[in-house]
Amino acid sequence: MRIVIAEDNVLLSEGLKLLLSTRGHEVVAVAQDVPAFAEAVDRHRPDLALVDVRLPPDFRDEGIHAAIAARSAHPGLPVLVLSQYVERDYAGELLSDGQGGVGYLLKDRVGRVSEFVDALRKVAGGGTVMDPAVVQQLLARRERDPLESLTAREREVLALMAEGHDNTEIAERIVVTNNAVHKHIGNIFQKLDLAPTDTGHRRVRAVLTYLSHRG
């Protein structure tokens, strides 16, 4: 996998390069600011972009907007965003195009190498990966839940979907059959009014509904 990194912390970016190279991936460019990142994506057309939320000059949300702009300029570009803290608005903004191929992880997940590399693989393959801490905070801070029609099990399945798990992984985690997971997901789609004829990706739209509601 060819990867462009946008990260101004040299120690972290070098660590990422080493980690990724040992797993057989190639870091084709490391950018320390938004213009350099945009240029690197245009030049290398990577398989995935790994972007810090906060970049120079203001270290606020430059990275998330750079990621969104890169996906606009290069439709389908998989992007995995890293953040020091849970910033739920950024997670929703990243998912707003509903196309998948996006991820939002806290930086401490990088230390869990297997999980981190698995997240990269899923995002590069068009999946959606959200840090469990983001999902938990979104759920905890809702006052009115548009998902109230879902059963406890369906909520559990949807939360695991939001973390980027596929049906087999969900089945293993909640100890049910794949067919049971498929049935739960079908019920979720029905209760969220996501019809089979929906032109959007129903799985992504279900996750977006789960993450974006404010109550």
Side-chain angles (χ1 to χ4, degrees):
M1 188 188 310
R2 300 170 65 255
I3 300 172
V4 167
I5 296 175
E7 171 59 64
D8 68 291
N9 184 308
V10 176
L11 184 60
L12 178 56
S13 63
E14 289 299 314
L16 286 169
K17 284 177 62 178
L18 178 61
L19 185 158
L20 293 169
S21 65
T22 60
R23 292 300 178 112
H25 304 300
E26 179 186 4
V27 176
V28 295
V30 176
Q32 295 187 345
D33 57 33
V34 173
F37 169 66
E39 181 181 355
V41 171
D42 287 342
R43 178 180 179 183
H44 295 286
R45 303 296 177 92
D47 301 309
L48 181 139
L50 189 59
V51 185
D52 187 3
V53 165
R54 300 183 178 186
L55 293 173
D58 297 325
F59 297 96
R60 298 182 64 184
D61 56 3
E62 292 87 351
I64 199 75
H65 291 295
I68 292 170
R71 281 172 63 85
S72 178
H74 303 279
L77 171 69
V79 172
L80 178 60
V81 170
L82 297 176
S83 178
Q84 188 69 40
Y85 309 103
V86 175
E87 302 180 73
R88 60 180 186 158
D89 290 342
Y90 297 157
E93 192 169 1
L94 184 66
L95 283 166
S96 61
D97 64 11
Q99 295 181 13
V102 295
Y104 185 105
L105 292 180
L106 296 184
K107 286 185 176 180
D108 62 8
R109 298 286 171 186
V110 176
R112 304 177 188 183
V113 177
S114 295
E115 291 183 21
F116 176 62
V117 173
D118 188 50
L120 289 175
R121 177 185 60 79
K122 288 179 178 178
V123 171
T128 301
V129 177
M130 301 302 296
D131 195 287
V134 177
V135 175
Q136 290 168 7
Q137 185 176 111
L138 288 168
L139 182 60
R141 295 184 64 175
R142 280 193 198 95
E143 294 178 1
R144 295 180 58 200
D145 193 347
L147 310 175
E148 61 186 3
S149 63
L150 301 184
T151 66
R153 179 64 90 184
E154 289 163 356
R155 282 174 173 269
E156 185 179 12
V157 169
L158 185 52
L160 290 169
M161 287 169 58
E163 291 175 18
H165 299 291
D166 60 27
N167 288 15
T168 299
E169 292 169 333
I170 293 172
E172 292 174 351
R173 283 178 174 254
I174 64 175
V175 194
V176 298
T177 65
N178 279 3
N179 285 340
V181 172
H182 181 76
K183 183 177 179 180
H184 287 313
I185 292 175
N187 290 339
I188 290 168
F189 291 159
Q190 182 178 16
K191 291 178 180 180
L192 296 182
D193 294 324
L194 298 176
T197 55
D198 194 329
T199 56
H201 191 303
R202 290 197 296 171
R203 198 178 186 97
V204 173
R205 288 175 62 84
V207 168
L208 183 57
T209 298
Y210 179 77
L211 295 172
S212 64
H213 178 67
R214 298 294 183 267

